[in-house]
Amino acid sequence: MTALPYRYLLAGSLVATLILTTIFVRPAHPDLWAQAVFDWLHVPVFGLIAVSVFLMSPSRWDWRIRMLVAAMTAALLGFLTEAVQTLQRARSASVHDILNDMLGATAFLSLLIALTPGLSVSRHLRTLLLILSAGLVGWSLTPPAKIFMAYVERYRQVPSIAPVSSRNSRLFFDLENTIVRYLDGPEPGAVEPEFLFGVDGSASIDFHDPWPNWSDSDLLILDISNMESTPLSVTLRIHDREHLRGDQPGSDRFRSRLTIPPGRHALTFAMQEIESAPDSRGMDLTRIDGLVIYRSSQDSGRRFRIHDIRLE
């Protein structure tokens, strides 16, 4: 029996390793930046898978057939890895990931064809493939770059720990049964978000990835306006990163129910109160992980603006 060429064994091992990594590995703490990088890694991972399949295909085949087989294989594996993730707890399938898989396969295969000597590829086509590869990789870096700039903007706005004064801030909160529109703020270029809870059911704003270190501050201030004529009933919830370890009870975080009259109000919360909120431990004020504002009563007002959430 003829031994398999080393390139087949190496490429096959690489493909298997990359597939298993994609299925079973995820960020230890999926904050916004870690998740963005992890999502982007689908591009080089499936690019390398496609290149490996191309190298394992018979060299007597036309390069176009080899490229097509490699791209289709990468697409199929991308679909299957997403399908497998639906069977795992805390994982879900993502169309965006599949698109990144295909983008990576196309970019890496284009680069491979452009740089591989001996293929019947014209110089003009090689140049076009190089441009295509560079363009696809550059495009794939757009979401991480946007998130990076949002982090830079957030750092500049400290002591606002969950800034809401720009549209980039939309990356730092998730909405449930809530819509948001942006109004002009008091300063040039600034905006103020106006939120509207849904008519029925639970509704919330989840501020994730806030500025994490609150240990040098005495107060948390929520600057909020109730835009309706009836009181706004909401609950403010705060948790640290330790709270996310395992299935922690609701008493392991800070929670304050608020009744906000019409008009603008600066609500203050003592840092000592936040730190001592968990029943069995002190909240880690150097690793705050999130704030949530959710509706406490179905009979309350629904429309409000958040001007700032800051430390003092």
Side-chain angles (χ1 to χ4, degrees):
M1 182 177 179
T2 304
L4 286 174
Y6 284 117
R7 66 170 183 165
Y8 288 0
L9 296 175
L10 180 61
S13 300
L14 178 62
V15 169
T17 301
L18 292 175
I19 291 174
L20 292 175
T21 300
T22 303
I23 295 175
F24 294 109
V25 175
R26 63 189 180 100
H29 181 73
D31 55 23
L32 185 62
W33 178 243
Q35 190 62 54
V37 173
F38 187 75
D39 290 344
W40 180 82
L41 285 176
H42 279 254
V43 174
V45 164
F46 279 85
L48 290 173
I49 288 175
V51 167
S52 300
V53 173
F54 183 94
L55 295 176
M56 286 190 294
S57 63
S59 57
R60 65 179 181 274
W61 289 3
D62 183 83
W63 67 267
R64 299 173 187 83
I65 300 299
R66 298 172 69 187
M67 186 176 183
L68 179 62
V69 169
M72 292 180 64
T73 302
L76 177 62
L77 292 175
F79 176 79
L80 291 177
T81 55
E82 294 302 312
V84 170
Q85 290 179 53
T86 62
L87 304 177
Q88 295 179 266
R89 186 179 180 182
R91 299 296 297 273
S92 60
S94 168
V95 175
H96 181 263
D97 286 345
I98 295 176
L99 293 176
N100 270 348
D101 299 341
M102 287 305 304
L103 188 151
T106 303
F108 277 56
L109 286 172
S110 297
L111 182 63
L112 177 67
I113 299 302
L115 298 181
T116 300
L119 299 178
S120 57
V121 183
S122 67
R123 179 178 298 181
H124 178 67
L125 181 55
R126 289 179 187 271
T127 301
L128 290 178
L129 289 173
L130 282 173
I131 295 173
L132 174 63
S133 178
L136 290 176
V137 172
W139 186 41
S140 74
L141 288 170
T142 301
K146 182 178 179 181
I147 289 173
F148 173 77
M149 293 308 298
Y151 269 104
V152 170
E153 184 178 28
R154 186 194 70 169
Y155 294 152
R156 289 175 177 171
Q157 292 179 330
V158 173
S160 292
I161 48 89
V164 291
S165 60
S166 77
R167 287 178 172 83
N168 273 345
S169 300
R170 179 65 182 85
L171 294 168
F172 292 107
F173 60 83
D174 296 321
L175 302 176
E176 178 191 2
N177 192 23
T178 304
I179 60 175
V180 60
R181 65 169 182 162
Y182 291 94
L183 307 173
D184 292 336
E187 298 179 4
V191 297
E192 288 186 347
E194 183 174 275
F195 299 94
L196 180 66
F197 284 152
V199 177
D200 299 312
S202 61
S204 64
I205 310 165
D206 183 351
F207 292 92
H208 55 81
D209 294 84
W211 182 260
N213 190 353
W214 299 10
S215 59
D216 295 329
S217 303
D218 298 320
L219 296 173
L220 172 70
I221 298 178
L222 172 61
D223 189 355
I224 187 171
S225 290
N226 177 4
M227 306 304 296
E228 299 195 359
S229 58
T230 56
L232 175 68
S233 296
V234 296
T235 296
L236 172 66
R237 193 177 72 204
I238 301 171
H239 63 270
D240 60 3
R241 188 164 294 190
E242 182 64 26
H243 178 75
L244 301 180
R245 300 180 184 273
D247 188 14
Q248 301 289 356
S251 58
D252 187 66
R253 57 198 175 197
F254 173 84
R255 185 165 52 190
S256 178
R257 184 163 180 167
L258 311 170
T259 300
I260 304 172
R264 182 169 179 173
H265 306 274
L267 307 178
T268 60
F269 305 88
M271 203 58 61
Q272 291 181 342
E273 181 184 0
I274 295 173
E275 183 179 18
S276 61
D279 278 351
S280 58
R281 63 182 181 90
M283 187 174 294
D284 187 350
L285 295 180
T286 66
R287 305 179 74 196
I288 298 298
D289 188 78
L291 303 85
V292 182
I293 297 175
Y294 62 91
R295 176 163 54 197
S296 302
S297 171
Q298 296 290 334
D299 298 328
S300 76
R302 299 167 48 220
R303 188 165 59 96
F304 58 96
R305 298 180 190 176
I306 297 178
H307 306 282
D308 198 6
I309 305 175
R310 66 182 184 273
L311 301 173
E312 286 191 0

